[in-house]
Amino acid sequence: LFGLTGGQVGVGDDAAVVSLGGSDLVATADLLIDGVHFDTREHAPERIGRKSLAVNLSDLAAMAARPAGALVSLALPRGGAAGCSVDELARRLLEGMQPLAEDFGCPIVGGDTNVHSGPLVVSVTAFGTPTSRGVVRRSGARPGDWLMVTGAGLGGSLAGKHLDFTPRVPEALRLHELADLHAMMDLSDGVSLDLHRMCEASGVGAVVFYAHVIVAEAAMSAATASGRSPIDHALGDGEDFELIFAVSSEAGRDLLTRPRIECGLNWIGEFVAGSRVTLRRSDGSEHPLAARGYEHR
Amino acid sequence: LFGLTGGQVGVGDDAAVVSLGGSDLVATADLLIDGVHFDTREHAPERIGRKSLAVNLSDLAAMAARPAGALVSLALPRGGAAGCSVDELARRLLEGMQPLAEDFGCPIVGGDTNVHSGPLVVSVTAFGTPTSRGVVRRSGARPGDWLMVTGAGLGGSLAGKHLDFTPRVPEALRLHELADLHAMMDLSDGVSLDLHRMCEASGVGAVVFYAHVIVAEAAMSAATASGRSPIDHALGDGEDFELIFAVSSEAGRDLLTRPRIECGLNWIGEFVAGSRVTLRRSDGSEHPLAARGYEHR
C-alpha cells in the first residue's frame, strides 16, 4: 500500500481527491524531519515552518486546486532546537507559516502538538477545492504534447530555494484557465524522476531537449562544487517545486507567444508514444534519462 | 497560537470546521509518538496503527461529523521497530488501520512516508462532513443541562482500552438524530480535565454526581495498583475516548428511559451557572474537582 520512497502514497498523484457528497476535496500531506528536509542547526524555525506549509501548497498547485486550509502537527524535541525552547520553537514555526497561509488563502485551522525525545517533526496536511474545470492529474499526457515547466531555471535548490521557494498556486490556477492542461505535477524529486512518474502514470514516453533546459544559477554553482555537469544538476536535483505540465503543441505555442504567467514558462521537451524517457542533445542524438533524483530515504 | 499542552490547537474544539464554499468540512489531526502514546516494545504495529486512526475518528465523533477520509504520514525509524523492518512496520501499521477505515467509511486516501533517525511518529489527519443538523461544538452547554457520557464505565484505559477502543462515531450520529445536543467532546485527557474544558468553552460550571459515575473494572485494578481511589482513576485517567455531552434534562431523561444507544449511556452530572466544577458526594457535600488529567508532555 505504501510506496516507501519518501513520497506521496496511496493516491499516485500529488494529492488525493475525495468526494464529499456533491463537492470534491483535494487533500495532501507532507511530513518534514530535522536532518532530512531541513536542519535546525542552520535554518531558522520561521524558514522551516514556511517550507513545511509551502511543500503542501505546491502539491495543491500541482492539482490546480484552490487552497482552503491546513492542519499542522508537531513533534517537538524536549530540549528545544535551533537555539529555542520548546514553546518558542513552536511559536516561531507557526509564525513562519502565517504569511504564506495568508497570501495563499490557506488558514491554519488546527493541529496537534507533542513533545518527545526525538528530532523536530513537522507534519502538515493541506486541503483545497477544485475549480469549475476540475483537478489536473499527472496521468493525462499524450504523445505529441509539449512538456513545459514554470520558473526561470532548474536545479541547485538545496543551496536555499528549497526553503524559500514560492509555491506556484496562482500560476497553476491561471494556467488552468488559459489552457487545457492534460497533466501536471510539481517537481519535488527532480525532473528526471518526476518526469518518469508522469510518463508512467500517463502511459507515454518523453524527450527532453537539452538545449531548452534553463539551468539555474544555483545549479551552475552546485556543478562547480560537485564536479558533475550543470544539466545533471538541473535535471537531477530535487526540491525545485516548479510545475511540469503537458499541453497540446497549439496550447503550448500560445502560452509561449503570449506570455501571461509572471514566473515564466519554458518548453523543455515533448511526450512521445512508448515508455522511454530520453535526453536529446543539440546534435540530435538521444540518450536515456535515468530516473534518479533526490529521494528522502 | 499553539496551546502547548499536547492537545488540539488553534480551534478550541475537537476538530476544525472549514467552509468550502457551499459545504462544510470537519478536519482533525493527531500525531502519536513511540514512548508517549504507544510503545513499540510492547504493542504490535497493527494496534498502534489502529489507535492512530481511532483517536482521529473519535474527534470526528465528538463533532457529530460523518467520516470521509484520512491521510497518514509516517516518520519511520531507520532500523525499524517492534521487531519489524522499516517496510514491514509501515505495512503493518496500515494493515491495523484498514479494518477501522472500512468499518467507519473513512478510507485512507493518501499520506507521506519518511525514514529518519528518531522514534516512530504516526501523524493522521481525518476529515468528514456535518450531517444536516450541523456540527456539535463543546461550547453550548447551559445551566440545568444534564452531563451524560457514553459507554459502560470510566478510567483505567491505559491497561489496554486506549489502544483497542471503538470510536463512538455511530453513537454520536444517532445521538445527534435523537436529541438536541447542546455540547459534546471526547474524553482524551480524563473527565476532570475535559469537563473543565467544556465548561470553560460554554461559560458554565458543572457538578459531577459521585454515585452516578460508573467506574470501569480497569480503573478498579488501576486503583489497587496505584493506591489511589477508583473514582480518582475514573475521573482522572486519560484516553477513555468516550463522549461527554450536554442535553436538556428532558432530552436526557428520554435518552435514559428509552435506551437506543447500544454502548450505553450514563447520566453523571449537571451543568450549573458560574464556573466552578465540583464533585457531589452521596452525603450532599460538594468538593472542587481539580482540572488534572493525563496530558502528553
Side-chain angles (χ1 to χ4, degrees), chain A residues 2 11 31 94 109 112-113 123, chain B residues 2 11 31 109 112-113 123 125:
Chain A
F2 267 61
V11 290
L31 182 147
L94 265 280
V109 296
D112 188 23
T113 57
S123 176
Chain B
F2 267 61
V11 290
L31 182 148
V109 296
D112 189 23
T113 57
S123 177
T125 301

Side-chain angles (χ1 to χ4, degrees), chain B residues 4 12 23 81 91 99 116 157 180 192 203 208 212 225 237 249 254 278 285:
Chain B
L4 277 177
S23 59
R91 186 178 53 73
H116 75 146
S157 177
D180 179 13
S192 308
V208 174
H212 286 216
D237 286 357
S249 57
D254 177 65
T278 60
S285 65

